[in-house]
Amino acid sequence: MRLRSLLGALGAAISLGAAHLTTAAVPLNDQAVAVEFYHAQLDHYFISADAGEISDLDTGKHPGWTRTGYRFAVIKPGSTYPGTVPMCRFYSQRLDTHFYSANAQECADVKVKFPDTWQLESDAVFRAFPVDPNTGACPAGTTATYRLYNKRADANHRYTNQISAFVYMVAKGYQPEGDGDPTLPVVFCTPEGSDAVPAPSASAPSCTVTASTQTPALGSTLALGSACSNNPTAFLWTNCVSTNAKCSVSRSSAGIVPYTLYSANDKGPGAPETINVTWGGTTQPPPTNPNDPPPVCNLYATEMNPIIGTQIRLTASCTGNPTSIVWGGTSACGNGVYCQAYSATPGEITYSVYGVNAAGAGSTATVTVNWKDNVTPTVPVCSLSSSNSSPSVGTSITLSAFCTNSPTAFKWVGCTSTGSTCSDSAATIGTKTYSVVATNASGDSEPASITVDWAAIPVQPPVCQISATSIAPTVGQSITLTATCTGSPTAFEWTGGCTAPSTSSTCTATSATSAPVTYYVVGSNQYGASNAAGITVSWQPTSGGGNPGGGNTGLCAQYRDVTRFTLAWGDNKRKPTDDLTSFGPDSVIVMELTVPAGQTPLRYAGYTSIYEYMGAPAIRIMNISKSACDFRNDDPTGANGPFMTSGGVLASIPWNVGPGGAVQLQPGETYYFNFKNYNCTGTCNAAIETIFPHD
């Protein structure tokens, strides 16, 4: 599996590693329900299993979010149910989107490689079952869950355990992620029994499935077909490999096999349609000993107390080789041993089943299911975090309680507060343990605790670093350099051509020549002087520009190592820089792209990114310009500088043909995507990736 999930363009390949498990039905007191929301303006999906968060979304505290009607069961945070793993959740303020993973390695990689883009919200927002990384199989009693990536610069993902929603999103251009079958990869597994699926749109496809025979001989070829309304654009079969309206399959072992067709169009997913086929059957009942009895069946339900609006699966287990299965209590079942049951109203429903063979109809088996109006309230489950785990004595820390199930009161030990946060300070060195108990209408949580190591006030010189308002200014322009230091320095010494008062942590610099200049600062306090922190600023010429393709290459002349390549329109393949050049501190890569003359505006913007690949993280700068090697100040018109510049461990710029992107390219025009390293020492390999705009 590729960690394309992470911005789509991050591209680091990571394998999910999880043991294949088997499990029984999960008790309700270990479950929570994840509810899905959609924001139409952002075109973003979001899930939450936290009651307080769900209430905030339902009541408009976060405007724009509405329920989609989908929900599924997860394992509560803090549960010790065997075989489950925590689900980490990250948020990107810049992209305004969330990312979830049940893979510990994936969670760790996001923390280390992309701290500037993704901020950890929780190491265990809820829990789930891991998927077998080789087969994509889920443990018994669980449901496969899928992750689909929108392939846009805003890097939103949709998480669903419904194949119908999966097919719909793939039809919209989303990319599936996970393990197992690449046509239906699985990312994690969730408990069966608490799914909710909205009714299909009236404009969505409605299909009828047919089979060339319902009793095919073993080894023969069965032809499955469908007749659908509302022009479906995507299909997926289960138990038969096909992504169109027809499917052919053969089988060597006898038994009843259900074949399900999922369809979708741009209005939404259609209802799945299933046909049950008896392999090895005949058109006549098999010969039977007159003394053989009719079938004897038992009936089982995946959940005895399901929530209304969800689905459960009924299973008939019968002796006597029944040639048909007759269901009662629901009209949604065919002639198979499995049946999906649903109720929109609370109360008890008795479902029944009996089997028929040549000896006649067997006795009726029943199961009574008590449909519940909502989830039984449970006490909170809490965890604690500290703003600083090793603070200095005399300073302050803030402790935060993160709790499920909407607590209404908090009781702190070691800290005074009645809310979910608490501030404290200490005057003596040593460890101190804090704890909190949260309360709601169902009772008190178990105490959550955290230990903080209060340390001595540091007695050491400062440690400094420098930032600049621009690292590629034009000659004659003024920039401000700022020193950020620990240890409260009282004096600063600036060198490299920047002068400032000895007490100033900022300095104003300018240059009359176009060349790289390194500026340094040393901060001092009563314990000594800091390191000499430096920053290199690449001063750019005021003249030049134009299209190098037209003969003006002035901007590239100042660089010793310039590598050029042309990107074909529609080429989404990742370009590792070590396939192009040795990408060092003095290297510049120029990617040339010509928009086809007849290209029409597209609905969804694309983007181009450069990011760490097979090496230590380093800062990169990229821009889109009408000139190669153009690292001047931005000019949104493109006349005297790049249209837009981006920098960081991940640098990314969204663009489109016509409206809809941060940069709007024009048909028939040629553009230059310029890339260089900022703080690289040695060779800093990266990867360049372009996802083209699409409808």
mmCIF file of all heavy atoms in Angstrom, residues 437-475:
data_model
loop_
_atom_site.group_PDB
_atom_site.id
_atom_site.type_symbol
_atom_site.label_atom_id
_atom_site.label_comp_id
_atom_site.label_asym_id
_atom_site.label_seq_id
_atom_site.Cartn_x
_atom_site.Cartn_y
_atom_site.Cartn_z
ATOM 1 N N VAL A 437 -11.275 12.515 36.795
ATOM 2 C CA VAL A 437 -12.444 11.653 36.627
ATOM 3 C C VAL A 437 -13.540 12.504 35.997
ATOM 4 O O VAL A 437 -13.863 13.590 36.503
ATOM 5 C CB VAL A 437 -12.921 11.075 37.974
ATOM 6 C CG1 VAL A 437 -14.253 10.346 37.806
ATOM 7 C CG2 VAL A 437 -11.871 10.139 38.554
ATOM 8 N N ALA A 438 -14.093 12.034 34.869
ATOM 9 C CA ALA A 438 -15.169 12.751 34.182
ATOM 10 C C ALA A 438 -16.500 12.068 34.463
ATOM 11 O O ALA A 438 -16.566 10.841 34.611
ATOM 12 C CB ALA A 438 -14.902 12.793 32.686
ATOM 13 N N THR A 439 -17.559 12.858 34.496
ATOM 14 C CA THR A 439 -18.883 12.337 34.867
ATOM 15 C C THR A 439 -19.918 12.758 33.832
ATOM 16 O O THR A 439 -19.899 13.892 33.334
ATOM 17 C CB THR A 439 -19.299 12.882 36.251
ATOM 18 O OG1 THR A 439 -18.303 12.530 37.213
ATOM 19 C CG2 THR A 439 -20.637 12.305 36.678
ATOM 20 N N ASN A 440 -20.806 11.821 33.478
ATOM 21 C CA ASN A 440 -22.003 12.165 32.713
ATOM 22 C C ASN A 440 -23.203 11.489 33.373
ATOM 23 O O ASN A 440 -23.086 10.965 34.493
ATOM 24 C CB ASN A 440 -21.853 11.787 31.231
ATOM 25 C CG ASN A 440 -21.734 10.286 31.024
ATOM 26 O OD1 ASN A 440 -21.933 9.488 31.937
ATOM 27 N ND2 ASN A 440 -21.389 9.893 29.805
ATOM 28 N N ALA A 441 -24.348 11.476 32.714
ATOM 29 C CA ALA A 441 -25.558 10.941 33.336
ATOM 30 C C ALA A 441 -25.450 9.460 33.665
ATOM 31 O O ALA A 441 -26.182 8.947 34.517
ATOM 32 C CB ALA A 441 -26.754 11.176 32.406
ATOM 33 N N SER A 442 -24.516 8.758 32.995
ATOM 34 C CA SER A 442 -24.370 7.324 33.237
ATOM 35 C C SER A 442 -23.418 7.008 34.375
ATOM 36 O O SER A 442 -23.323 5.864 34.801
ATOM 37 C CB SER A 442 -23.890 6.625 31.958
ATOM 38 O OG SER A 442 -24.829 6.799 30.932
ATOM 39 N N GLY A 443 -22.647 8.001 34.845
ATOM 40 C CA GLY A 443 -21.735 7.746 35.952
ATOM 41 C C GLY A 443 -20.348 8.311 35.718
ATOM 42 O O GLY A 443 -20.130 9.159 34.835
ATOM 43 N N ASP A 444 -19.405 7.837 36.528
ATOM 44 C CA ASP A 444 -18.026 8.338 36.504
ATOM 45 C C ASP A 444 -17.148 7.477 35.612
ATOM 46 O O ASP A 444 -17.315 6.255 35.528
ATOM 47 C CB ASP A 444 -17.427 8.336 37.910
ATOM 48 C CG ASP A 444 -18.112 9.318 38.841
ATOM 49 O OD1 ASP A 444 -18.784 10.230 38.326
ATOM 50 O OD2 ASP A 444 -17.989 9.156 40.073
ATOM 51 N N SER A 445 -16.191 8.140 34.964
ATOM 52 C CA SER A 445 -15.182 7.417 34.199
ATOM 53 C C SER A 445 -14.156 6.790 35.133
ATOM 54 O O SER A 445 -14.090 7.116 36.329
ATOM 55 C CB SER A 445 -14.467 8.371 33.244
ATOM 56 O OG SER A 445 -13.618 9.256 33.976
ATOM 57 N N GLU A 446 -13.341 5.902 34.599
ATOM 58 C CA GLU A 446 -12.157 5.458 35.312
ATOM 59 C C GLU A 446 -11.166 6.625 35.356
ATOM 60 O O GLU A 446 -11.109 7.435 34.422
ATOM 61 C CB GLU A 446 -11.516 4.262 34.615
ATOM 62 C CG GLU A 446 -12.352 2.984 34.669
ATOM 63 C CD GLU A 446 -12.506 2.470 36.088
ATOM 64 O OE1 GLU A 446 -11.519 2.552 36.865
ATOM 65 O OE2 GLU A 446 -13.604 1.987 36.426
ATOM 66 N N PRO A 447 -10.364 6.754 36.429
ATOM 67 C CA PRO A 447 -9.401 7.860 36.477
ATOM 68 C C PRO A 447 -8.395 7.768 35.329
ATOM 69 O O PRO A 447 -7.889 6.688 35.028
ATOM 70 C CB PRO A 447 -8.708 7.672 37.832
ATOM 71 C CG PRO A 447 -9.646 6.832 38.638
ATOM 72 C CD PRO A 447 -10.344 5.937 37.668
ATOM 73 N N ALA A 448 -8.136 8.896 34.698
ATOM 74 C CA ALA A 448 -7.063 9.009 33.707
ATOM 75 C C ALA A 448 -5.938 9.816 34.344
ATOM 76 O O ALA A 448 -6.198 10.811 35.029
ATOM 77 C CB ALA A 448 -7.562 9.694 32.443
ATOM 78 N N SER A 449 -4.707 9.396 34.147
ATOM 79 C CA SER A 449 -3.597 10.061 34.833
ATOM 80 C C SER A 449 -2.434 10.317 33.893
ATOM 81 O O SER A 449 -2.319 9.699 32.824
ATOM 82 C CB SER A 449 -3.117 9.222 36.029
ATOM 83 O OG SER A 449 -2.644 7.960 35.586
ATOM 84 N N ILE A 450 -1.575 11.240 34.300
ATOM 85 C CA ILE A 450 -0.351 11.565 33.571
ATOM 86 C C ILE A 450 0.680 12.045 34.587
ATOM 87 O O ILE A 450 0.331 12.714 35.574
ATOM 88 C CB ILE A 450 -0.606 12.637 32.483
ATOM 89 C CG1 ILE A 450 0.630 12.807 31.600
ATOM 90 C CG2 ILE A 450 -0.999 13.981 33.098
ATOM 91 C CD1 ILE A 450 0.368 13.703 30.384
ATOM 92 N N THR A 451 1.930 11.679 34.379
ATOM 93 C CA THR A 451 3.014 12.093 35.269
ATOM 94 C C THR A 451 3.897 13.103 34.554
ATOM 95 O O THR A 451 4.331 12.876 33.411
ATOM 96 C CB THR A 451 3.857 10.884 35.707
ATOM 97 O OG1 THR A 451 3.015 9.976 36.423
ATOM 98 C CG2 THR A 451 4.998 11.317 36.614
ATOM 99 N N VAL A 452 4.149 14.225 35.226
ATOM 100 C CA VAL A 452 4.965 15.315 34.664
ATOM 101 C C VAL A 452 6.258 15.404 35.468
ATOM 102 O O VAL A 452 6.243 15.336 36.700
ATOM 103 C CB VAL A 452 4.185 16.645 34.714
ATOM 104 C CG1 VAL A 452 5.075 17.807 34.297
ATOM 105 C CG2 VAL A 452 2.951 16.560 33.824
ATOM 106 N N ASP A 453 7.367 15.548 34.770
ATOM 107 C CA ASP A 453 8.688 15.628 35.400
ATOM 108 C C ASP A 453 9.113 17.094 35.473
ATOM 109 O O ASP A 453 9.579 17.667 34.492
ATOM 110 C CB ASP A 453 9.702 14.812 34.596
ATOM 111 C CG ASP A 453 11.066 14.751 35.265
ATOM 112 O OD1 ASP A 453 11.162 15.160 36.441
ATOM 113 O OD2 ASP A 453 12.030 14.302 34.609
ATOM 114 N N TRP A 454 8.934 17.709 36.656
ATOM 115 C CA TRP A 454 9.328 19.104 36.828
ATOM 116 C C TRP A 454 10.849 19.173 36.974
ATOM 117 O O TRP A 454 11.439 18.508 37.822
ATOM 118 C CB TRP A 454 8.649 19.703 38.062
ATOM 119 C CG TRP A 454 7.177 19.898 37.855
ATOM 120 C CD1 TRP A 454 6.175 19.054 38.203
ATOM 121 C CD2 TRP A 454 6.547 21.010 37.218
ATOM 122 N NE1 TRP A 454 4.955 19.560 37.838
ATOM 123 C CE2 TRP A 454 5.146 20.771 37.233
ATOM 124 C CE3 TRP A 454 7.024 22.200 36.649
ATOM 125 C CZ2 TRP A 454 4.236 21.667 36.693
ATOM 126 C CZ3 TRP A 454 6.097 23.095 36.112
ATOM 127 C CH2 TRP A 454 4.730 22.828 36.136
ATOM 128 N N ALA A 455 11.499 19.955 36.100
ATOM 129 C CA ALA A 455 12.962 20.007 36.026
ATOM 130 C C ALA A 455 13.479 21.351 36.520
ATOM 131 O O ALA A 455 12.732 22.330 36.644
ATOM 132 C CB ALA A 455 13.424 19.762 34.595
ATOM 133 N N ALA A 456 14.799 21.377 36.783
ATOM 134 C CA ALA A 456 15.441 22.616 37.221
ATOM 135 C C ALA A 456 15.431 23.654 36.112
ATOM 136 O O ALA A 456 15.388 23.322 34.918
ATOM 137 C CB ALA A 456 16.874 22.328 37.661
ATOM 138 N N ILE A 457 15.463 24.927 36.491
ATOM 139 C CA ILE A 457 15.564 26.010 35.510
ATOM 140 C C ILE A 457 16.889 25.852 34.766
ATOM 141 O O ILE A 457 17.945 25.670 35.385
ATOM 142 C CB ILE A 457 15.504 27.384 36.199
ATOM 143 C CG1 ILE A 457 14.153 27.544 36.915
ATOM 144 C CG2 ILE A 457 15.723 28.507 35.201
ATOM 145 C CD1 ILE A 457 14.057 28.798 37.746
ATOM 146 N N PRO A 458 16.878 25.840 33.427
ATOM 147 C CA PRO A 458 18.125 25.620 32.694
ATOM 148 C C PRO A 458 19.143 26.729 32.959
ATOM 149 O O PRO A 458 18.792 27.910 33.023
ATOM 150 C CB PRO A 458 17.674 25.625 31.230
ATOM 151 C CG PRO A 458 16.373 26.357 31.219
ATOM 152 C CD PRO A 458 15.740 26.070 32.536
ATOM 153 N N VAL A 459 20.371 26.306 33.136
ATOM 154 C CA VAL A 459 21.477 27.256 33.325
ATOM 155 C C VAL A 459 22.460 27.016 32.184
ATOM 156 O O VAL A 459 23.514 26.420 32.359
ATOM 157 C CB VAL A 459 22.141 27.078 34.710
ATOM 158 C CG1 VAL A 459 21.244 27.610 35.797
ATOM 159 C CG2 VAL A 459 22.466 25.617 34.989
ATOM 160 N N GLN A 460 22.084 27.473 31.007
ATOM 161 C CA GLN A 460 22.921 27.247 29.833
ATOM 162 C C GLN A 460 22.735 28.405 28.855
ATOM 163 O O GLN A 460 21.755 29.143 28.920
ATOM 164 C CB GLN A 460 22.531 25.932 29.161
ATOM 165 C CG GLN A 460 21.087 25.879 28.727
ATOM 166 C CD GLN A 460 20.681 24.507 28.213
ATOM 167 O OE1 GLN A 460 21.383 23.536 28.419
ATOM 168 N NE2 GLN A 460 19.551 24.428 27.539
ATOM 169 N N PRO A 461 23.673 28.554 27.924
ATOM 170 C CA PRO A 461 23.567 29.630 26.930
ATOM 171 C C PRO A 461 22.364 29.406 26.020
ATOM 172 O O PRO A 461 21.794 28.310 25.966
ATOM 173 C CB PRO A 461 24.883 29.510 26.156
ATOM 174 C CG PRO A 461 25.796 28.749 27.035
ATOM 175 C CD PRO A 461 24.932 27.805 27.814
ATOM 176 N N PRO A 462 21.969 30.434 25.305
ATOM 177 C CA PRO A 462 20.832 30.297 24.385
ATOM 178 C C PRO A 462 21.151 29.356 23.223
ATOM 179 O O PRO A 462 22.311 29.079 22.918
ATOM 180 C CB PRO A 462 20.606 31.730 23.875
ATOM 181 C CG PRO A 462 21.322 32.619 24.836
ATOM 182 C CD PRO A 462 22.478 31.821 25.365
ATOM 183 N N VAL A 463 20.098 28.886 22.564
ATOM 184 C CA VAL A 463 20.180 28.184 21.284
ATOM 185 C C VAL A 463 19.282 28.953 20.326
ATOM 186 O O VAL A 463 18.106 29.162 20.601
ATOM 187 C CB VAL A 463 19.713 26.721 21.394
ATOM 188 C CG1 VAL A 463 19.724 26.055 20.023
ATOM 189 C CG2 VAL A 463 20.590 25.951 22.369
ATOM 190 N N CYS A 464 19.876 29.398 19.203
ATOM 191 C CA CYS A 464 19.160 30.313 18.307
ATOM 192 C C CYS A 464 18.957 29.723 16.915
ATOM 193 O O CYS A 464 19.705 28.837 16.479
ATOM 194 C CB CYS A 464 19.934 31.632 18.170
ATOM 195 S SG CYS A 464 20.118 32.560 19.708
ATOM 196 N N GLN A 465 17.961 30.248 16.221
ATOM 197 C CA GLN A 465 17.772 30.001 14.801
ATOM 198 C C GLN A 465 17.234 31.285 14.165
ATOM 199 O O GLN A 465 16.687 32.149 14.858
ATOM 200 C CB GLN A 465 16.827 28.842 14.548
ATOM 201 C CG GLN A 465 15.446 29.018 15.140
ATOM 202 C CD GLN A 465 14.577 27.792 14.922
ATOM 203 O OE1 GLN A 465 15.058 26.748 14.535
ATOM 204 N NE2 GLN A 465 13.280 27.935 15.173
ATOM 205 N N ILE A 466 17.408 31.409 12.835
ATOM 206 C CA ILE A 466 17.023 32.644 12.132
ATOM 207 C C ILE A 466 15.943 32.335 11.109
ATOM 208 O O ILE A 466 15.976 31.294 10.442
ATOM 209 C CB ILE A 466 18.229 33.281 11.402
ATOM 210 C CG1 ILE A 466 19.401 33.515 12.348
ATOM 211 C CG2 ILE A 466 17.837 34.604 10.760
ATOM 212 C CD1 ILE A 466 20.609 34.110 11.654
ATOM 213 N N SER A 467 15.004 33.266 10.954
ATOM 214 C CA SER A 467 14.034 33.232 9.863
ATOM 215 C C SER A 467 14.115 34.553 9.109
ATOM 216 O O SER A 467 14.625 35.556 9.629
ATOM 217 C CB SER A 467 12.622 33.014 10.398
ATOM 218 O OG SER A 467 12.243 34.075 11.268
ATOM 219 N N ALA A 468 13.638 34.559 7.864
ATOM 220 C CA ALA A 468 13.683 35.760 7.030
ATOM 221 C C ALA A 468 12.326 35.973 6.388
ATOM 222 O O ALA A 468 11.616 35.005 6.078
ATOM 223 C CB ALA A 468 14.763 35.631 5.955
ATOM 224 N N THR A 469 11.965 37.235 6.180
ATOM 225 C CA THR A 469 10.695 37.529 5.518
ATOM 226 C C THR A 469 10.703 37.068 4.069
ATOM 227 O O THR A 469 9.646 36.837 3.479
ATOM 228 C CB THR A 469 10.382 39.028 5.588
ATOM 229 O OG1 THR A 469 11.505 39.768 5.074
ATOM 230 C CG2 THR A 469 10.099 39.452 7.018
ATOM 231 N N SER A 470 11.888 36.909 3.472
ATOM 232 C CA SER A 470 12.025 36.351 2.124
ATOM 233 C C SER A 470 13.407 35.746 2.002
ATOM 234 O O SER A 470 14.385 36.329 2.478
ATOM 235 C CB SER A 470 11.827 37.425 1.052
ATOM 236 O OG SER A 470 12.086 36.879 -0.242
ATOM 237 N N ILE A 471 13.513 34.580 1.390
ATOM 238 C CA ILE A 471 14.836 33.983 1.169
ATOM 239 C C ILE A 471 15.245 34.088 -0.294
ATOM 240 O O ILE A 471 16.306 33.596 -0.683
ATOM 241 C CB ILE A 471 14.847 32.508 1.610
ATOM 242 C CG1 ILE A 471 13.801 31.714 0.847
ATOM 243 C CG2 ILE A 471 14.667 32.373 3.104
ATOM 244 C CD1 ILE A 471 13.878 30.218 1.093
ATOM 245 N N ALA A 472 14.412 34.745 -1.117
ATOM 246 C CA ALA A 472 14.767 34.986 -2.513
ATOM 247 C C ALA A 472 14.320 36.389 -2.915
ATOM 248 O O ALA A 472 13.555 36.564 -3.866
ATOM 249 C CB ALA A 472 14.140 33.927 -3.410
ATOM 250 N N PRO A 473 14.793 37.433 -2.217
ATOM 251 C CA PRO A 473 14.359 38.797 -2.532
ATOM 252 C C PRO A 473 15.084 39.350 -3.767
ATOM 253 O O PRO A 473 16.103 38.809 -4.218
ATOM 254 C CB PRO A 473 14.762 39.572 -1.276
ATOM 255 C CG PRO A 473 15.969 38.837 -0.781
ATOM 256 C CD PRO A 473 15.731 37.387 -1.087
ATOM 257 N N THR A 474 14.562 40.439 -4.271
ATOM 258 C CA THR A 474 15.191 41.139 -5.385
ATOM 259 C C THR A 474 16.219 42.130 -4.846
ATOM 260 O O THR A 474 16.024 42.728 -3.786
ATOM 261 C CB THR A 474 14.124 41.887 -6.202
ATOM 262 O OG1 THR A 474 13.121 40.958 -6.608
ATOM 263 C CG2 THR A 474 14.721 42.556 -7.425
ATOM 264 N N VAL A 475 17.340 42.294 -5.565
ATOM 265 C CA VAL A 475 18.368 43.243 -5.121
ATOM 266 C C VAL A 475 17.739 44.622 -4.938
ATOM 267 O O VAL A 475 16.869 45.047 -5.706
ATOM 268 C CB VAL A 475 19.538 43.302 -6.126
ATOM 269 C CG1 VAL A 475 20.276 41.983 -6.176
ATOM 270 C CG2 VAL A 475 19.070 43.707 -7.508
#
